[in-house]
């Protein structure tokens, strides 16, 4: 059984957070340490620790995450200029919180995808 992270408490609204979106499958809220003018995290309500743990039964949830990202990008006013969606996985991917989450980043030119 995977260990819960702070994101489970946010999803259950046990700690104060400005929720931007929540339905039966996913929750979205602002990143506490924004790396862009708009930096939102979209997370599944169920605990999936890493993208390596995704199974076919999660397809609906993963699809919902993208649909919600698009909706929030429109609401943030960043859809036309563009934005970036990122999943980090494990150590080399720079994952810090082991409850999968999609980063939605935008509001300025984000530059090259990777600093090399
Ligand atoms: P990652 O490196 O992909 O695991 O990203 C984890 C993200 O979660 C980071 O961008 C953190 O700033 C963000 N984060 C950690 N704790 C919180 C929190 N309590 N509320 C909102 N965002 C958080």
């Amino acid at each position: 059984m995977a260990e819960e992270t702070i994101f489970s408490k946010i999803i259950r609204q046990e700690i104060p957070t400005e929720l931007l979106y929540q339905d039966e499958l996913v929750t979205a809220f602002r990143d506490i340490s924004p790396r862009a003018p708009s930096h939102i995290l979209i997370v599944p309500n169920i605990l999936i620790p890493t993208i390596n743990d995704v199974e076919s039964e999660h397809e609906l949830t993963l699809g919902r995450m993208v649909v919600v990202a698009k909706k929030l990008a429109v609401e943030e006013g960043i859809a036309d200029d563009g934005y970036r969606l990122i999943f980090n996985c494990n150590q080399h991917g720079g994952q810090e919180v082991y409850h999968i989450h999609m980063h939605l980043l935008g509001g300025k030119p984000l530059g090259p995808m990777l600093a090399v």
Side-chain angles (χ1 to χ4, degrees):
M1 189 71 169
E3 216 172 293
E4 280 193 356
T5 73
I6 187 87
F7 289 177
S8 290
K9 289 192 169 63
I10 291 173
I11 291 160
R12 293 195 297 264
Q13 301 182 45
E14 290 172 2
I15 55 174
T17 316
E18 181 199 351
L19 288 191
L20 300 176
Y21 181 89
Q22 187 164 54
D23 65 19
E24 78 284 9
L25 292 179
V26 307
T27 298
F29 50 91
R30 290 196 194 279
D31 196 292
I32 203 169
S33 178
R35 266 68 137 222
S38 288
H39 188 174
I40 293 169
L41 301 176
I42 300 131
V43 309
N45 293 343
I46 56 162
L47 172 52
I48 305 169
T50 79
I51 287 292
N52 289 336
D53 301 303
V54 167
E55 304 288 351
S56 57
E57 72 203 51
H58 300 131
E59 284 175 7
L60 183 62
T61 300
L62 273 284
R64 183 72 59 85
M65 289 168 76
V66 176
V67 171
V68 170
K70 184 207 82 169
K71 169 185 153 56
L72 292 173
V74 171
E75 286 177 14
E76 291 284 296
I78 62 174
D80 287 346
D81 283 339
Y83 51 91
R84 189 169 289 162
L85 301 176
I86 298 174
F87 280 101
N88 294 322
C89 182
N90 277 342
Q91 202 178 5
H92 283 194
Q95 185 173 4
E96 292 170 3
V97 178
Y98 282 77
H99 181 137
I100 63 166
H101 46 281
M102 179 188 283
H103 295 260
L104 163 60
L105 294 145
K108 69 173 186 181
L110 295 171
M113 189 168 66
L114 288 174
V116 284

